[in-house]
Amino acid sequence: EAQVTQNPRYLITVTGKKLTVTCSQNMNHEYMSWYRQDPGLGLRQIYYSMNVEVTDKGDVPEGYKVSRKEKRNFPLILESPSPNQTSLYFCASSPRSGANVLTFGAGSRLTVL
Amino acid sequence: SQQGEEDPQALSIQEGENATMNCSYKTSINNLQWYRQNSGRGLVHLILIRSNEREKHSGRLRVTLDTSKKSSSLLITASRAADTASYFCATDARDDYKLSFGAGTTVTVRA
């Protein structure tokens, strides 16, 4: 089944403890992106990648890192999480950037205490 | 930055009624998409309309696009309880490869 898989789905952590949210897609998509969703703010883009080894900042990149060493994987790294990073995170992919339909993962709900 | 803004923020209708929501955006676009999100889950693509199209249909969904007013509308006809969800518009700006989402319209369909 064509899908975007995120892990973990739920995580409670403490301030400053590094964590990684993994994202993997099995559709050979070139474009991958991370969003965070907060009440009243909709989805805001954190980082995106147009292909392997090509990443760029979205609208809210502060406090996050990403890497794209392989086409299928696009992990989101929080080096030193803070409570304002408590959010619902979505990974998404599409065949290429631009006018393409995004396939979303099921989401990762992160709480930073 | 957020490009699209949906209106209204929330909508409650009776089963069988039509639901209409609007999206306004700021800059010229290549395409506009609508997505649905069931409570806390991933977004699911509904329909894409290109900047040179004015209207598009998919099942009970009808989308219009008015590029002169920089706005789009999504109409769900004969709504069902299963249509209860949040609906987001997403725009793909002319000079940008990012897809920007609005804050969404939450639709509740009462049985």
Side-chain angles (χ1 to χ4, degrees):
Chain A
E1 184 191 346
Q3 59 186 2
V4 176
T5 304
Q6 296 178 227
N7 279 298
R9 294 287 317 283
Y10 302 92
L11 180 64
I12 300 174
T13 189
V14 294
T15 299
K17 187 176 181 182
K18 180 180 178 181
L19 70 93
T20 298
V21 186
T22 63
C23 174
S24 180
Q25 49 92 5
N26 62 359
M27 296 166 282
N28 202 36
H29 283 173
E30 288 185 359
Y31 181 86
M32 296 185 76
S33 182
W34 276 102
Y35 293 88
R36 60 177 288 173
Q37 184 177 29
D38 302 289
L41 295 177
L43 275 83
R44 293 179 292 167
Q45 189 176 47
I46 304 171
Y47 269 95
Y48 64 98
S49 169
M50 292 172 71
N51 215 325
V52 176
E53 303 290 3
V54 180
T55 62
D56 209 344
K57 295 177 182 178
D59 298 315
V60 288
E62 295 78 22
Y64 304 95
K65 284 172 68 173
V66 292
S67 68
R68 187 93 183 270
K69 297 191 173 102
E70 310 159 281
K71 202 169 190 177
R72 62 184 294 126
N73 295 323
F74 190 44
L76 179 70
I77 302 154
L78 286 73
E79 292 271 359
S80 182
S82 63
N84 65 12
Q85 291 178 297
T86 292
S87 189
L88 180 57
Y89 291 87
F90 289 102
C91 180
S93 72
S94 70
R96 61 186 189 280
S97 63
N100 269 276
V101 170
L102 286 172
T103 300
F104 279 82
S108 296
R109 187 168 291 281
L110 172 64
T111 302
V112 183
L113 302 175
Chain B
S1 58
Q2 243 168 297
Q3 160 83 299
E5 261 186 47
E6 289 91 345
D7 171 63
Q9 287 187 349
L11 184 58
S12 179
I13 54 173
Q14 201 74 31
E15 203 164 24
E17 292 180 341
N18 295 342
T20 300
M21 59 212 87
N22 304 296
C23 169
S24 58
Y25 56 91
K26 296 172 186 155
T27 62
S28 295
I29 61 170
N30 293 313
N31 308 279
L32 186 143
Q33 301 180 42
W34 285 92
Y35 287 79
R36 183 187 72 223
Q37 182 184 33
N38 292 94
S39 182
R41 303 176 76 92
L43 280 72
V44 173
H45 178 257
L46 294 176
I47 198 163
L48 180 152
I49 186 165
R50 301 189 189 283
S51 60
N52 61 356
E53 296 176 311
R54 292 296 165 256
E55 189 170 313
K56 206 159 180 182
H57 297 255
S58 176
R60 293 183 297 111
L61 305 179
R62 174 179 166 249
V63 169
T64 62
L65 179 64
D66 186 336
T67 52
S68 67
K69 294 181 180 175
K70 292 187 170 60
S71 70
S72 173
S73 69
L74 170 66
L75 167 68
I76 306 172
T77 60
S79 63
R80 305 166 182 168
D83 295 327
T84 293
S86 292
Y87 293 82
F88 295 86
C89 69
T91 53
D92 171 16
R94 281 263 164 89
D95 56 353
D96 199 339
Y97 291 107
K98 297 185 290 187
L99 199 60
S100 297
F101 287 81
T105 293
T106 299
V107 175
T108 303
V109 181
R110 306 185 307 273

